[in-house]
Structure formats: structure tokens, C-alpha cells
Amino acid sequence: MDLRTQPRAELVARAEQALGARLMSERGVCKRRSLGLPTDRDTWVRLSVAPAEAAAERCGLEATAALPRQVRHPWWYQGTCWRDGDLLVRVEETELVTEPVICSGGVVTTEPELGQGWWQHLVEALTALSTVPTSRVATPHTRPITQQRVTSTIQAVFPEVETTVAEWTVAHADVSWVNLTAPGCRILDWEDFGLAPRGWDAATLWVNSLAAPALAEQVQQVFAADLESRTGQLSQLHACAELITAGEDYAGPLAAPVRNAADGLVTALNRREP
């Protein structure tokens, strides 16, 4: 089901009844599998649809209630779900974050003005997240991050690379400029978080910064401990391989720098002991 092309009035009405709040549909943000709307009590509601058969693998945002405040996530208040044929509909109410995101769409091509305090807050948030005890597996783009996924993605482009992941930590799994706010640092869109290879979040942010070289270098410096590890290099190469596989039309201004960066990572990984 693609919410962008389907009638949504009935889903919104049922969500309003379940939560006891009026949803402001005129200010909604609709994606393929989710709809976000502010409420009349200054909160945010996320309505999502997914195959019911995937319910055992993907819980909702209530899992963020276990995260400490320093992770800088929107606070979760309440939620409900119901089955609609072969689909599971989930509705969740969270804190409303009013700060603008750093990039509302497309690719960052110029370095945003972010102070040292902003970077420190991001490091503290991702460090705190990495130590949260959980068996939940990260699922960006609805696909669980497994050893098999890492291997198949990388070796489809670079078959000579040994891809065994030695270190797994908890990651947000979609740390991109569209999910980060400024001037305060808040991290949005937590539906995919869970276990992932070390450096996954830093690698995602880095690869989405390659069209702005100074910004990409800043990410490398800030997260050097993770990104310079073997697993961190694999995370970076995986991010590059995904964009290379998607093609130049999809990668846009990232296409050339991603290919150059990937070649350097392959050389570095092949020189290291697995």
C-alpha cells in the first residue's frame, strides 16, 4: 500500500478517535508507508502501514520509550494499532519537534553552519544509543540489517572484499540530514533503530555529505574512532555500494565522489587483516 496514492480520510478519522485528538491533515507529511500530522494539542502523530506478517519483526515507536533522554529523540506518549485485511495500521503520538531539519530534501551540497556544540550533542546522542541493551535489529527501508545483507550488497559491486562484521552496536539506522534538526540537535524518525554494524550511523551521514567535501571530512573527524575501524569501513563501503547499485540518476551529485570514496575503502580493507 502506498499512502501517497490511497484515500486517507478513513484512517485519519479512526486515528483521531483512538487518540482523542484532532489531526491537522492540511499540515500532514505523507510518505509511501507513513503519514505524519500535528495535532490540536501540539503533539505529532505518525500513522504507518505495513504487511501484518511483518509485525513480529517490526514493533512501533514505543520501543523508544526505553531510550535515555541524551539520545535526543522525540518523547513517545501513546499508540495503538489494528489490522486492516493483510495490513497492520499503527498510530503513535509523540513529542512535536518544531525546529527545522537541516535538509528537507535532496542532497546537501554546501556545508551547513553547525557549531561545535551541535556536533558534541550528536556524538553524545549516538554514543548513548550504542550502549542501549536490545535484541531489536535495525530495519532501514524495511530490510533488516544482517550479515547476509551486508555481504550481498557489498559483494554485488566489490566481490573481492571480505565482509565479515565483527562489531555490532545499536544504531538509529537512518541518520541523514533530513532527520537532523538545527540549531538544536534533535534526531527524528526512529522506526528503524536497532542493532547494526559499528559506525553505521556515521557512515550514513558521511555518504550523504560527499557532495560537500568539507562536511564529509568533518563527519570523518568527529566519528574517527568508529569510521577508522574495520567494521566502520565496511559500513561506509556498504553505504557506497547501495548508491552505486542504485545508479547515477538516483545518486545525482553523490555519484562521482561515492565511486572515488569506495575505491579507497576497498584498497584500505584489502590491506587489513579480516
Side-chain angles (χ1 to χ4, degrees):
M1 181 178 183
D2 188 336
L3 284 175
R4 296 170 298 184
T5 61
Q6 300 292 323
R8 301 187 293 269
E10 185 176 342
L11 290 176
V12 170
R14 183 162 179 179
E16 289 180 323
Q17 183 178 21
L19 299 177
R22 185 174 70 84
L23 306 185
M24 300 180 182
S25 299
E26 69 279 4
R27 292 167 55 192
V29 178
C30 190
K31 301 179 182 179
R32 181 175 61 84
R33 60 190 175 99
S34 68
L35 174 64
L37 312 101
T39 75
D40 60 350
R41 56 186 176 218
D42 292 329
T43 58
W44 183 258
V45 166
R46 181 178 187 271
L47 188 155
S48 64
V49 294
E53 62 191 25
E57 297 180 356
R58 291 177 61 81
C59 58
L61 294 176
E62 72 270 13
T64 63
L67 301 180
R69 276 288 191 181
Q70 57 264 43
V71 174
R72 309 186 74 81
H73 60 294
W75 209 237
W76 184 86
Y77 298 134
Q78 64 170 327
T80 187
C81 59
W82 63 85
R83 185 161 185 159
D84 184 0
D86 293 332
L87 297 175
L88 185 73
V89 182
R90 190 182 299 274
V91 177
E92 297 176 282
E93 186 177 12
T94 67
E95 176 188 1
L96 175 65
V97 177
T98 58
E99 280 194 322
V101 296
I102 293 170
C103 176
S104 60
V107 176
V108 173
T109 56
T110 57
E111 186 175 4
E113 295 183 6
L114 303 171
Q116 188 61 37
W118 187 94
W119 287 103
Q120 184 60 37
H121 283 147
L122 182 61
V123 170
E124 291 173 353
L126 297 183
T127 300
L129 176 64
S130 71
T131 64
V132 171
T134 184
S135 58
R136 175 185 169 112
V137 176
T139 54
H141 311 300
T142 71
R143 294 176 56 212
I145 300 176
T146 62
Q147 177 64 68
Q148 191 278 331
R149 173 177 172 175
V150 172
T151 298
S152 62
T153 300
I154 291 176
Q155 292 190 349
V157 186
F158 307 105
E160 71 277 23
V161 176
E162 209 294 316
T163 59
T164 300
V165 176
E167 300 175 276
W168 295 80
T169 61
V170 183
H172 173 278
D174 192 16
V175 175
S176 58
W177 298 108
V178 73
N179 287 331
L180 294 168
T181 72
C185 178
R186 299 296 299 275
I187 308 175
L188 310 179
D189 286 357
W190 282 86
E191 61 269 20
D192 297 329
F193 91 91
L195 292 168
R198 178 184 181 184
W200 188 276
D201 286 336
T204 304
L205 194 61
W206 164 79
V207 81
N208 283 291
S209 305
L210 285 174
L215 182 60
E217 180 59 29
Q218 178 77 30
V219 176
Q220 284 284 340
Q221 292 177 6
V222 170
F223 295 101
D226 287 331
L227 294 178
E228 291 175 4
S229 68
R230 177 176 174 82
T231 300
Q233 289 181 332
L234 284 173
S235 293
Q236 292 172 82
L237 188 59
H238 180 278
C240 290
E242 282 196 320
L243 281 173
I244 292 170
T245 301
E248 292 189 7
D249 288 344
Y250 179 85
L254 293 175
V258 161
R259 174 59 76 171
N260 291 336
D263 290 342
L265 286 164
V266 169
T267 300
L269 283 162
N270 286 336
R271 286 175 178 171
R272 301 181 72 145
E273 289 293 329

